[in-house]
Amino acid sequence: MNAARPSHWPMSQFPVIDDCLHIGGISLIQLAARVGQTPFYAYDRRLLDERVALLRDWLPSVIELHYAVKANPMPAVVRHMASLVDGLDVASLGELTVALDAGVDPAEISFAGPGKRPPELTAAIAAGVTINLESAGELETVARLGHEQGRQPRVAVRVNPDFELKTSGMKMGGGPKPFGVDAEQVPALLRRIGELDLDFQGFHIFGGSQNLRPEALIDAHDRTFELALRLAMDAPAPVRTLNIGGGFGIPYFPGDAPLDLEPIAANLERWLPQVKEQLTAVQVVIELGRYLVGEAGIYVAEVVDRKVSRGHAFLVTNGGLHHHLAASGNFGQVVRKNYPVVVGNRVVGTEREVASVVGPLCTPLDLLADRMELAKAEVGDLIVVFQSGAYGLTASPSRFLSHPACAEVLV
Ligand SMILES: *Cc1c(COP(=O)(O)O)cnc(C)c1O
């Protein structure tokens, strides 16, 4: 192996005792027995607590923190997150149901996403959550459905900004987009909201995802505040909510380092007095998914076969891209790179080898680790993929090849 090659950031959030990974105070071997099957995802509540506490320490205290449920909608995780954050963001009726079941105040739930169907909008209006409007057509539908119910829908405008979050893994704003209303069309939309019987809340401006560069996030925040202050001049009512999105990234790949929150927090502190002065009723919200839950989760699969093909070692596991599409490199990555992976029950091991970890699917895409240096593993060993708490199971094609379902536990 070339020593100059970038390595993965050390995954020190899970302790290693007697060469075995521990999750939530339980050894991986014991946890696998407790779950009763492999493969499974495990999420650590203590790490969720610590992550929210870290953000609360850094971010200005007047900023509200919301959890974007789509990152990990497991009901137990959502309930736990609901006890830590100030609100939830949902993107479907299914997620809305999980959020309401968790006991979250509907006033602290917002519902974003293109293509919301009438039954979803009807449910959102009946529940009293804030609907982030994604288009002029959706605005008319919401107003009509509200009228039919005799309720005044709470709405905010999701803005497709006139800028992009630079070097973001997945770009969600700037240029023509299915998300939000183009910034230049927002004044007309605001006039229309004023004509209809709607409870206007404010703006939602979300520029992108998985960003590890503070300068890029600072630049996006600067432009978001500038845009929001400009748009607010046409608002039909005082702006009560300004959701500035999220986009905070976590280190996945060799060479990635954790996001430095300090300059981001300092820039937010700098903006708040001006924002408060111009929008006296405003509550600023940051909504995060991946950053809150991503590092608290692991995916665990069991080695069912090992083979050597033309000198190359393969560990064949019972898990793969049908449970963890992102780790296989097929969920938004341009060039495939390895997630951090270890043999969880022999982290250092007695012998090391370079091996590839593959799944049981009949496709070369079913690759969890490509030629990584690992402890030499045997059949029955447990392969662990770190950084798997977000966009894991529910972002994967779990029915592909009809293998058994994956388990999930919150420890
Ligand atoms: C997906 C999404 C998020 C969460 O993004 P992360 O990168 O997971 O933090 C936040 N807000 C909206 C509107 C989203 O669609």
Side-chain angles (χ1 to χ4, degrees):
M1 300 220 92
N2 184 347
R5 237 164 59 184
S7 55
H8 283 104
W9 189 263
M11 293 293 122
S12 55
Q13 67 269 49
F14 298 100
V16 176
I17 302 168
D18 294 336
D19 213 24
C20 184
L21 207 67
H22 279 58
I23 303 96
I26 303 173
S27 85
L28 181 66
I29 294 169
Q30 189 186 347
L31 181 61
R34 200 191 99 172
V35 175
Q37 72 161 75
T38 55
F40 63 90
Y41 278 89
Y43 316 113
D44 185 329
R45 356 169 109 68
R46 180 185 54 85
L47 293 175
L48 299 174
D49 298 345
E50 284 178 7
R51 181 46 60 100
V52 172
L54 176 76
L55 279 163
R56 300 277 196 203
D57 276 354
W58 278 111
L59 295 181
S61 56
V62 298
I63 291 188
E64 281 198 355
L65 188 59
H66 280 205
Y67 173 52
V69 169
K70 79 168 183 292
N72 188 327
M74 184 200 187
V77 168
V78 174
R79 253 192 324 272
H80 190 74
M81 294 308 294
S83 74
L84 300 174
V85 299
D86 306 304
L88 299 182
D89 293 299
V90 300
S92 69
L93 178 52
E95 289 186 2
L96 174 59
T97 304
V98 172
L100 292 170
D101 286 349
V104 177
D105 178 358
E108 303 300 337
I109 298 175
S110 59
F111 184 3
K116 299 185 206 71
R117 291 165 293 109
E120 294 183 294
L121 293 169
T122 296
I125 295 164
V129 305
T130 299
I131 299 168
N132 289 329
L133 298 167
E134 302 270 350
S135 73
E138 192 171 82
L139 165 61
E140 298 300 326
T141 306
V142 167
R144 177 174 56 77
L145 294 171
H147 182 72
E148 282 171 22
Q149 275 191 44
R151 291 181 60 94
Q152 194 184 42
R154 293 168 71 105
V155 298
V157 177
R158 166 109 178 247
V159 182
N160 176 23
D162 39 15
F163 58 86
E164 258 179 273
L165 182 48
K166 287 173 197 147
T167 69
S168 176
M170 245 180 259
K171 293 193 177 71
M172 308 272 272
K177 289 280 146 52
F179 312 107
V181 178
D182 293 352
E184 54 278 22
Q185 293 178 17
V186 170
L189 194 88
L190 291 170
R191 276 194 294 281
R192 184 67 185 138
I193 290 173
E195 293 165 10
L196 297 165
D197 189 21
L198 297 167
D199 180 9
F200 175 76
Q201 297 291 310
F203 300 107
H204 176 210
I205 306 176
F206 176 70
S209 185
Q210 179 49 22
N211 206 305
L212 288 171
R213 290 177 54 231
E215 327 72 90
L217 286 159
I218 287 168
D219 182 58
H221 288 162
D222 288 349
R223 290 157 181 258
T224 296
F225 284 124
E226 283 161 13
L227 177 59
L229 292 176
R230 203 163 73 235
L231 295 174
M233 294 194 250
D234 290 304
V239 174
R240 277 179 275 166
T241 306
L242 174 55
N243 185 328
I244 63 169
F248 293 17
I250 61 172
Y252 284 105
F253 306 120
D256 285 354
L259 185 64
D260 181 5
L261 293 176
E262 195 272 331
I264 297 165
N267 188 56
L268 291 170
E269 285 287 7
R270 197 175 63 75
W271 268 101
L272 283 173
Q274 188 190 342
V275 172
K276 276 281 182 194
E277 192 186 307
Q278 293 190 40
L279 309 175
T280 50
V282 82
Q283 179 67 63
V284 176
V285 175
I286 287 189
E287 58 173 359
L288 297 168
R290 187 192 311 273
Y291 191 79
L292 294 179
V293 296
E295 301 192 64
I298 56 171
Y299 174 61
V300 183
E302 187 171 337
V303 178
V304 293
D305 193 14
R306 62 166 293 137
K307 58 189 279 187
V308 177
S309 168
R310 307 209 163 107
H312 186 120
F314 287 91
L315 303 171
V316 186
T317 69
N318 57 0
L321 78 76
H322 54 313
H323 299 154
H324 203 335
L325 188 66
S328 78
N330 295 291
F331 188 67
Q333 292 96 319
V334 180
V335 179
R336 193 197 175 284
K337 293 180 196 154
N338 288 326
Y339 269 47
V341 168
V342 292
V343 183
N345 58 308
R346 57 175 99 233
V347 174
V348 177
T350 42
E351 251 183 284
R352 309 281 295 174
E353 69 174 349
V354 173
S356 291
V357 180
V358 301
L361 308 188
C362 307
T363 161
L365 299 179
D366 194 10
L367 184 60
L368 291 176
D370 182 23
R371 286 162 293 174
M372 277 183 89
E373 201 216 276
L374 299 168
K376 189 167 181 186
E378 296 167 6
V379 170
D381 281 349
L382 300 170
I383 300 293
V384 168
V385 182
F386 292 107
Q387 309 299 75
S388 297
Y391 305 108
L393 186 56
T394 59
S396 302
S398 52
R399 299 185 60 188
F400 188 39
L401 268 94
S402 306
H403 283 287
C406 185
E408 283 181 292
V409 284
L410 175 64
V411 195

